[in-house]
Amino acid sequence: IIIPNVIYNKEGNKEQILDIFSRMLQMGIIYICGPISQETSILFHSQITHIVQDLNLKEVTIFINSPGGCAYSGIAIVNMIKMCNIKVNTKCIGLAASAASIILASGTGSRESIKRARIMIHQPNGGTGRQDATNVSIVAAELVYLRE
């Protein structure tokens, strides 16, 4: 993947060359694209922490285009959104399915989708298969937790 660079004029007319994603981060824009995973969660935590602690921004916008993925990584992102004490706007720019739809709904500011974007929410999948009653009850309790 080729990531373009942009010239950014800082205060005092000092020019700085940044990759486009670093520039977007300075503007308080985070992208969640592709499957939700532990890596996505860690990257999000790093970016939101940088925005809050280093840049001192009071608002962030998250653009989402994701088919979902790991429910626990999605929950970690939602928890960070709720903990960061700044306004978090979420916007679906393509697809927000499964865990990504929960992230979209968790914004503390505006929650939007662009025309022709798709949002899909479903019940948690237990995947109990042919397990015994004890395992089924454990999975059921975990599904209740995930729904809440």
Side-chain angles (χ1 to χ4, degrees):
I1 184 169
I2 298 173
I3 300 173
N5 291 326
V6 294
I7 297 174
Y8 170 60
N9 290 322
K10 293 182 87 170
E11 298 169 10
N13 293 328
K14 188 175 182 181
E15 289 185 348
Q16 183 179 13
I17 298 176
L18 297 171
D19 67 87
I20 192 67
F21 292 111
S22 295
R23 175 65 184 119
M24 300 302 264
L25 191 60
Q26 283 187 334
M27 296 167 51
I29 296 172
I30 297 175
Y31 287 91
I32 296 179
C33 296
I36 305 294
S37 64
Q38 287 182 334
E39 292 80 14
T40 307
S41 175
I42 291 167
L43 180 61
F44 178 81
H45 286 205
S46 301
Q47 291 174 318
I48 198 82
T49 300
H50 176 65
I51 286 172
V52 172
Q53 299 295 323
D54 299 333
L55 301 178
N56 295 315
L57 298 179
K58 302 298 180 208
E59 185 173 338
V60 65
T61 300
I62 303 169
F63 290 101
I64 301 170
N65 183 21
S66 171
C70 176
Y72 296 106
S73 296
I75 290 169
I77 291 171
V78 168
N79 287 341
M80 194 64 172
I81 288 171
K82 300 300 183 188
M83 287 176 27
C84 70
N85 294 322
I86 63 171
K87 183 177 175 183
V88 179
N89 304 308
T90 54
K91 189 168 208 169
C92 179
I93 58 172
L95 173 67
S98 194
S101 67
I102 304 305
I103 295 167
L104 176 68
S106 71
T108 58
S110 66
R111 297 174 299 273
E112 307 172 39
S113 69
I114 63 171
K115 189 175 183 179
R116 292 181 291 281
R118 294 290 177 252
I119 301 166
M120 190 275 296
I121 301 172
H122 63 83
Q123 294 294 324
N125 183 355
T128 56
R130 295 182 179 157
Q131 298 178 7
D132 62 43
T134 303
N135 286 340
V136 170
S137 69
I138 292 169
V139 170
E142 186 65 12
L143 287 173
V144 169
Y145 168 78
L146 286 174
R147 284 186 69 180
E148 296 171 359

